[in-house]
C-alpha cells in the first residue's frame, strides 16, 4: 500500500516546492503531477505566470502533468498504481467545485465524501500520493457569504485529508514541520 502525504501552508509558504522534493525523495520512475488549476485561468496573465513557474520547476525531472479540475478520483484511477502522484492543489479543487456547482451545490459533507473516496483509492495503490493544500483559515473572517463558504469548505477538506493522511507537514517561511506521521 502506498503512503499518503499531506502538505499544507499559506500562500507563498514553499509548500509546493517542499511537496515536489518530498515526492522525489519517496521515489518512483513513474511520477505524475495532477494539476487542479482550471483551464479558464490560463487566460489570466498573473495565473498563467504562476502555472509556468510551477511547470518550469518540474521541467527535466521526469514528471508527467495531468490537468484535472474536478474528478480527482477518476484521474487517480487512470494512473499506474505504482506511480507517485502529486496533487497540487486541493484548495483550487474546492474552488473548482464551487465554480462548477455554485455555492448552494457544494457542502462540507460532499467535500468530505469526495476526500474519503479519494483515500479509498489511495489505499489500493502501491505508489505514494502527495497532496498539497492552502491554509486559508488563519486570517480574518471573509466579509461575504461565498468567501466564507470557500474558507469553510477548504477547512473541511484540510481536516479530512489531515485525518486520513499517513503524514502531514505544515510549511511556513519555506520550512516544513511534520505534524503527523
Amino acid at each position: 500500500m502506498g503512503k499518503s502525504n499531506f502538505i499544507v501552508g499559506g500562500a507563498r509558504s514553499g509548500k509546493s516546492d517542499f511537496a515536489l522534493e518530498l515526492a522525489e525523495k519517496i521515489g518512483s520512475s513513474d511520477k505524475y503531477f495532477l494539476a487542479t488549476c482550471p483551464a479558464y485561468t490560463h487566460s489570466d496573465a498573473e495565473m498563467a505566470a504562476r502555472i509556468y513557474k510551477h511547470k518550469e520547476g518540474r521541467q527535466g525531472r521526469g514528471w508527467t502533468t495531468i490537468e484535472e479540475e474536478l474528478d480527482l478520483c477518476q484521474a487517480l484511477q487512470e494512473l499506474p498504481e505504482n506511480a507517485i502522484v502529486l496533487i497540487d492543489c486541493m484548495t483550487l479543487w474546492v474552488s473548482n467545485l464551487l465554480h462548477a456547482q455554485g455555492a448552494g451545490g457544494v457542502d462540507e459533507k460532499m467535500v468530505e465524501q469526495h476526500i474519503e473516496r479519494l483515500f479509498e483509492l489511495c489505499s489500493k495503490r502501491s505508489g505514494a500520493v502527495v497532496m498539497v493544500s492552502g491554509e486559508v483559515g488563519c486570517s480574518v473572517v471573509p466579509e461575504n457569504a461565498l468567501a466564507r463558504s470557500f474558507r469553510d469548505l477548504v477547512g473541511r477538506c484540510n481536516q479530512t485529508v489531515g485525518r486520513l493522511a499517513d503524514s502531514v507537514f505544515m510549511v511556513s517561511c519555506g520550512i516544513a514541520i511534520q505534524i503527523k506521521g
Side-chain angles (χ1 to χ4, degrees), residues 110-130:
M110 177 188 167
V111 168
E112 190 172 25
Q113 288 171 341
H114 277 289
I115 299 297
E116 288 171 350
R117 174 71 180 124
L118 185 63
F119 271 88
E120 281 177 37
L121 296 170
C122 290
S123 72
K124 296 174 183 169
R125 300 179 52 78
S126 57
V129 177
V130 177

Side-chain angles (χ1 to χ4, degrees), residues 1-167:
M1 171 183 5
K3 187 174 181 181
S4 57
N5 306 271
F6 183 44
I7 317 303
V8 65
R12 294 287 197 236
S13 64
K15 62 189 174 291
S16 292
D17 289 339
F18 175 75
L20 193 62
E21 291 170 15
L22 176 65
E24 289 176 344
K25 282 180 189 171
I26 292 169
S28 174
S29 58
D30 286 337
K31 298 180 285 198
Y32 290 88
F33 187 92
L34 187 49
T36 62
C37 189
Y40 64 83
T41 63
H42 293 242
S43 61
D44 173 338
E46 186 268 338
M47 187 56 110
R50 287 176 182 256
I51 292 166
Y52 178 79
K53 182 179 182 274
H54 274 266
K55 285 182 178 179
E56 188 178 51
R58 295 188 306 276
Q59 207 165 30
R61 294 167 76 172
W63 288 91
T64 300
T65 300
I66 308 292
E67 293 183 1
E68 177 52 55
E69 299 170 22
L70 295 169
D71 198 344
L72 298 179
C73 292
Q74 181 63 40
L76 189 64
Q77 286 178 305
E78 293 175 3
L79 300 177
E81 77 158 35
N82 63 335
I84 187 151
V85 179
L86 173 52
I87 303 172
D88 195 354
C89 80
M90 303 304 289
T91 317
L92 276 173
W93 173 73
V94 169
S95 177
N96 297 341
L97 288 176
L98 278 170
H99 188 275
Q101 299 183 22
V106 183
D107 63 21
E108 290 184 37
K109 188 67 178 167
M110 177 188 167
V111 168
E112 190 172 25
Q113 288 171 341
H114 277 289
I115 299 297
E116 288 171 350
R117 174 71 180 124
L118 185 63
F119 271 88
E120 281 177 37
L121 296 170
C122 290
S123 72
K124 296 174 183 169
R125 300 179 52 78
S126 57
V129 177
V130 177
M131 297 177 201
V132 177
S133 190
E135 175 53 71
V136 299
C138 292
S139 188
V140 298
V141 175
E143 68 179 38
N144 67 69
L146 180 59
R148 286 189 299 275
S149 177
F150 172 73
R151 179 210 50 196
D152 293 348
L153 291 169
V154 171
R156 177 60 56 204
C157 173
N158 290 352
Q159 281 187 47
T160 306
V161 175
R163 174 175 48 87
L164 296 172
D166 296 311
S167 68

